Amino acid sequence: MTARSDVTRREFVQTASAAGAALVIGFHLPPPRGRAAGVEEALPPFAPNAWLRIGADDTVLVEVDRSEMGQGVTTSLPMLLAEELEADWTTVRIEFAPADKAYFNPLFGAQGTGGSTSIRAAYTPLRQAGAAAREMLIAAAAQTWGVDRAQCRAAQGSVIHAASGRRLRYGALVAAAAALPVPAPADISLKDPKDWKILGKRTHRLDTPLKIDGRAQFGMDVQVPGLLVAVVARCPVFGGTVKSFDATRAKAVPGVRHVVQIASGIAVVADGYWPARKGREALVVQWDEGANAAVSSAGISELLAQRAGQAGAVARHDGDPVAALAGAATTMEADYETPFLAHVTMEPMNCTAHVRPDGGGVDIWAPTQFQTGAQGMGAQIGGVTPDKVRVHTTYLGGGFGRRFELDFILEALQASKAAGAPVKVIWSREDDIQHSQYRPVSLHRFRVGLDAGGALVAWTHRLVAPSIMARVFPNAVRDGLDAEATEGGREMPYAIPNVHVDYVLTDTGVPVGFWRSVNNSFNAFAVESFVDELAAAAKKDPVEYRRALLAKQPRHLGVLELAAAKGGWGTPAPTGRARGVAVWKSFDSYIAQVVEVSIDQGVVTVHRVVCAVDCGQVVNPDTVEAQMQSAIVFGLSAALRGAITIYRGSVQQSNFNDYEPLRMREMPVVEVHIVPSSAAPGGVGEPGTPPIAPAVCNAIFALTGKRIRKLPIGTVA
């Protein structure tokens, strides 16, 4: 099943990007830039590959081909290259790469950022790119001095001749190195981790100064000559369309230039945001609400429960669970339920586009996670080949999977084409919450069997949920199975001889999309909460119970034991508090979390989270720690009070007053402990989220004896 899941993810991106035909043709690398960090150079830079430019002024410019949404790729990716290059880290500068086939994510087959793949995909290619450039610079220095290459070495942005002590900075070698052939990967060697000077070390982020002084450009910051601003009136009911509209009052608003119908609704285009918004408020629209006007959260819950009684598409089947259940001394059953969730990125959706007439090309300035898709869509709307579409990736004020979507980019392209000018589409917070693609709602039905000694002999898990892949790429769902939907659940690591996991695809009419940790978020809550129930029924300590079932899973066991030790498991919790635990693998990383909670008048407070992470080889410990902290607060907000509810086909929440994130005063102390590992790198952007909800709910049970089987937690009676 794992192989199938990998294929569908790749196929999804390739197919979704086909909005513009033949995306794989017409790509080209931009000509080498004659600058680095704004400094004009007398000589062209040394550019041995798509990621690296070394200038005559010694500046090392790294083209960052992944989107920076706070996860730290503008530092960790340059670290990979700089380590092998033997660069002077103080000379490293960054720039976002253009959309180009050269920057395709090999795990996606397209240029995009998601699935916690940035380091995993770049780990070897960027190191090889740095090593190749290093070897070329050493060879150039050896030729310059007329000495044997073996007598030279690179260090701190220079090549040194060991015998004479002579030294040449990289900037002095750019012309000579550029004339040499680029060595093949097979002809270069990568450094042994014991010799690393940059990788594995805590490294300050390169983008921090840019964000402090305002030089970092986010999508909202984009300004181009002749720019107009648009807001879009969208049907409040999912899937609804425009029946008719009257733009008379909207056009009377000062500053409004155009009112045009686009795919998602009516775009009001004006000189600025407020005229556009006032124009939208004045707009008169009649909507055809369609079939989803009757959809409600209550009805969706009833539908999930009904569907849970039906057999699903099989995701995993080990042994003979039916016979094992029939012969079990005891059986236990439980249902777990999770709601829809929104992303609520700090920066709402926005995009600036300029579709020039008569095939004059397209420019897109966007905080996007999916450059290939944006380029393909620009080609389609602009009627040009992809090489005529320039995608300028800005910094992203949060992504979480929401900015892998192309809806906000399509709106800007269509509005620009209609207006004949560059147009920035801006979503309000209300637009963002009420017109998104949400983390799927889900219901999990468990039934397990135990023998006379209390040992688990059978485990069945039925997942009922909408399919993200069915929305974005229907061909990924085969015979009713979305393999992605069961991620984590089908790989449940506990040693149980008879296991059955199936999936009942259930469309609710509500659009669903990628959300931080995707399906792992609800599968972890259900599985790890139910395992805790089994431990309680067996009258065993939750850590000891898991430890026995994970005896053959050393990396799961490693993080579990580390989190338990650092979290004080087995010692009394502070007065009025209790501890809970959960362990989960996702995106090739292993996470265990121990939490301490208290409850006052029904309000749950999480005081402390101890997180152990085994993400394989670590590039930047600061990034790992920050991403665990970020994922924990993201997951806590969702677990404690996150829920998107539907009434008559519309989202009832609108802003942070009724879709409330965790406040700073509510943030627990978070301790992150990294397991030393030489394994291949795993992801870190997403895997910290799945364990937090079950760990908190398990702690609530330890404190109160009440089991939380439906999220959000809310108040505990």
Side-chain angles (χ1 to χ4, degrees):
M1 300 310 301
T2 300
R4 182 171 176 178
S5 175
D6 290 343
V7 170
T8 57
R9 188 184 296 274
R10 184 179 305 112
E11 289 175 346
F12 152 63
V13 181
Q14 291 172 333
T15 301
S17 65
L23 286 181
V24 296
I25 62 173
F27 282 87
H28 67 286
L29 273 176
R33 293 172 172 83
R35 61 179 179 82
V39 178
E40 294 297 328
E41 300 175 354
L43 295 173
F46 171 48
N49 52 63
W51 296 281
L52 176 64
R53 307 282 188 270
I54 300 178
D57 63 349
D58 291 324
T59 300
V60 175
L61 179 66
V62 179
E63 298 281 344
V64 178
D65 57 1
R66 300 291 175 262
S67 303
E68 176 60 79
M69 59 196 93
Q71 82 281 31
V73 293
T74 47
T75 301
S76 54
L77 296 186
M79 287 174 70
L80 290 168
L81 193 150
E83 179 64 65
E84 297 292 343
L85 180 62
E86 294 285 0
D88 176 352
W89 182 250
T90 65
T91 69
V92 174
R93 304 292 183 267
I94 51 177
E95 182 173 88
F96 288 118
D100 196 286
K101 188 178 178 181
Y103 301 111
F104 273 21
N105 182 329
L107 299 181
F108 282 171
Q111 188 176 348
T113 307
S116 290
T117 61
S118 291
I119 293 297
R120 289 185 288 165
Y123 186 71
T124 298
L126 280 186
R127 291 178 66 201
Q128 289 175 335
R134 176 193 72 216
E135 294 306 306
M136 295 170 73
L137 290 160
I138 292 173
Q143 286 184 5
T144 300
W145 290 322
V147 300
D148 186 352
R149 155 70 183 81
Q151 296 176 358
C152 303
R153 64 181 179 87
Q156 280 292 100
S158 298
V159 178
I160 303 166
H161 181 228
S164 66
R166 285 177 291 179
R167 177 188 296 261
L168 280 173
R169 297 286 297 173
Y170 284 171
L173 294 167
V174 294
L180 299 176
V182 179
D187 297 329
I188 57 177
S189 59
L190 300 180
K191 296 171 65 176
D192 190 300
K194 67 180 176 56
D195 298 323
W196 285 352
K197 303 179 183 68
I198 298 173
L199 292 180
K201 308 298 189 295
R202 291 186 177 271
T203 304
H204 293 308
R205 291 176 51 147
L206 293 174
D207 60 357
T208 299
L210 307 178
K211 291 176 178 177
I212 290 174
D213 65 18
R215 284 177 292 159
Q217 185 183 61
F218 291 82
M220 287 289 194
D221 299 326
V222 172
Q223 294 292 328
V224 297
L227 180 67
L228 301 176
V229 175
V231 298
V232 179
R234 307 170 187 85
C235 183
V237 175
F238 293 117
T241 58
V242 176
K243 184 185 296 183
S244 64
F245 71 98
D246 183 349
T248 304
R249 290 171 54 197
K251 290 181 177 179
V253 173
V256 171
R257 299 286 192 91
H258 309 276
V259 179
V260 296
Q261 185 169 348
I262 60 176
S264 60
I266 309 298
V268 179
V269 185
D271 293 333
Y273 176 75
W274 288 110
R277 181 157 175 169
K278 288 181 178 296
R280 182 174 69 173
E281 292 169 357
L283 192 65
V284 178
V285 186
Q286 295 294 320
W287 301 104
D288 180 352
E289 294 183 338
N292 291 327
V295 172
S296 69
S297 289
I300 289 171
S301 291
E302 292 174 3
L303 175 63
L304 296 180
Q306 175 190 346
R307 299 276 286 170
Q310 305 174 15
V314 178
R316 176 180 175 182
H317 189 89
D318 299 343
D320 191 345
V322 174
L325 283 168
T330 307
T331 60
M332 290 179 58
E333 299 181 2
D335 284 0
Y336 284 81
E337 191 171 348
T338 65
F340 293 110
L341 293 172
H343 304 77
V344 289
T345 59
M346 182 178 292
E347 176 193 29
M349 299 303 106
N350 67 89
C351 176
T352 299
H354 191 184
V355 180
R356 294 174 179 81
D358 303 322
V362 177
D363 280 277
I364 300 170
W365 295 265
T368 179
Q369 293 179 241
F370 190 15
Q371 289 81 2
T372 300
Q375 189 173 47
M377 184 166 282
Q380 183 187 47
I381 301 301
V384 296
T385 54
D387 61 295
K388 296 294 198 305
V389 180
R390 294 164 293 277
V391 179
H392 313 272
T393 304
T394 66
Y395 283 93
L396 285 61
F400 314 126
R402 176 62 180 91
R403 286 190 157 96
F404 214 94
E405 304 285 349
L406 299 172
D407 51 348
F408 57 99
I409 293 176
L410 176 61
E411 288 181 343
L413 288 164
Q414 291 181 329
S416 172
K417 185 174 182 179
V423 172
K424 179 192 293 185
V425 166
I426 298 177
W427 292 40
S428 67
R429 179 62 63 194
E430 289 78 9
D431 294 334
D432 191 56
I433 289 179
Q434 297 183 326
H435 299 280
S436 189
Q437 300 82 26
Y438 305 91
R439 198 281 303 269
V441 68
S442 71
L443 185 144
H444 306 255
R445 178 157 292 173
F446 293 101
R447 189 175 182 218
V448 301
L450 300 92
D451 65 17
L456 275 168
V457 295
W459 168 285
T460 67
H461 175 189
R462 174 160 297 154
L463 166 62
V464 185
S467 165
I468 299 169
M469 299 302 285
R471 179 184 73 83
V472 298
F473 181 28
N475 290 337
V477 180
R478 297 161 185 165
D479 300 323
L481 178 63
D482 173 3
E484 297 278 331
T486 62
E487 60 186 349
R490 69 176 180 274
E491 300 95 349
M492 185 272 302
Y494 298 108
I496 305 169
N498 304 287
V499 176
H500 180 87
V501 179
D502 65 15
Y503 169 65
V504 183
L505 193 161
T506 304
D507 183 18
T508 66
V510 178
V512 293
F514 302 105
W515 185 91
R516 191 173 194 170
S517 79
V518 204
N519 308 286
N520 285 284
S521 63
F522 50 71
N523 287 323
F525 163 67
V527 170
E528 281 298 285
S529 295
F530 191 52
V531 167
D532 226 65
E533 286 203 48
L534 299 177
K539 296 182 171 51
K540 293 185 178 179
D541 175 85
V543 168
E544 292 300 324
Y545 190 77
R546 287 174 171 83
R547 182 180 284 130
L549 292 172
L550 294 172
K552 296 183 179 180
Q553 303 290 341
R555 296 182 76 181
H556 285 86
L557 196 59
V559 291
L560 176 65
E561 293 182 337
L562 179 59
K566 297 295 185 180
W569 196 272
T571 65
T575 303
R577 300 184 190 180
R579 297 188 181 104
V581 65
V583 59
W584 198 255
K585 176 199 173 185
S586 60
F587 309 97
D588 290 337
S589 289
Y590 301 75
I591 313 288
Q593 291 168 2
V594 170
V595 304
E596 287 182 5
V597 308
S598 69
I599 299 176
D600 182 15
Q601 298 182 349
V603 177
V604 177
T605 298
V606 181
H607 298 275
R608 183 185 182 210
V609 180
V610 176
C611 175
V613 50
D614 176 357
C615 58
Q617 191 74 61
V618 173
V619 172
N620 186 354
D622 274 358
T623 296
V624 175
E625 183 175 1
Q627 284 306 290
M628 293 303 113
Q629 294 167 339
S630 170
I632 285 166
V633 67
F634 192 83
L636 269 180
S637 293
L640 291 171
R641 46 183 174 252
I644 290 293
T645 56
I646 312 299
Y647 181 68
R648 294 184 178 177
S650 301
V651 170
Q652 293 182 284
Q653 290 70 35
S654 62
N655 210 311
F656 291 132
N657 62 308
D658 50 14
Y659 193 81
E660 189 178 1
L662 206 67
R663 306 291 173 149
M664 290 183 70
R665 66 178 182 274
E666 300 171 299
M667 185 65 186
V669 173
V670 178
E671 303 169 25
V672 179
H673 302 277
I674 302 172
V675 176
S677 176
S678 59
V684 298
E686 302 180 83
T689 294
I692 191 64
V696 171
C697 291
N698 294 339
I700 291 171
F701 173 78
L703 187 63
T704 66
K706 297 177 181 178
R707 188 64 67 179
I708 306 295
R709 294 196 181 101
K710 184 175 182 178
L711 294 177
I713 295 166
T715 57
V716 178

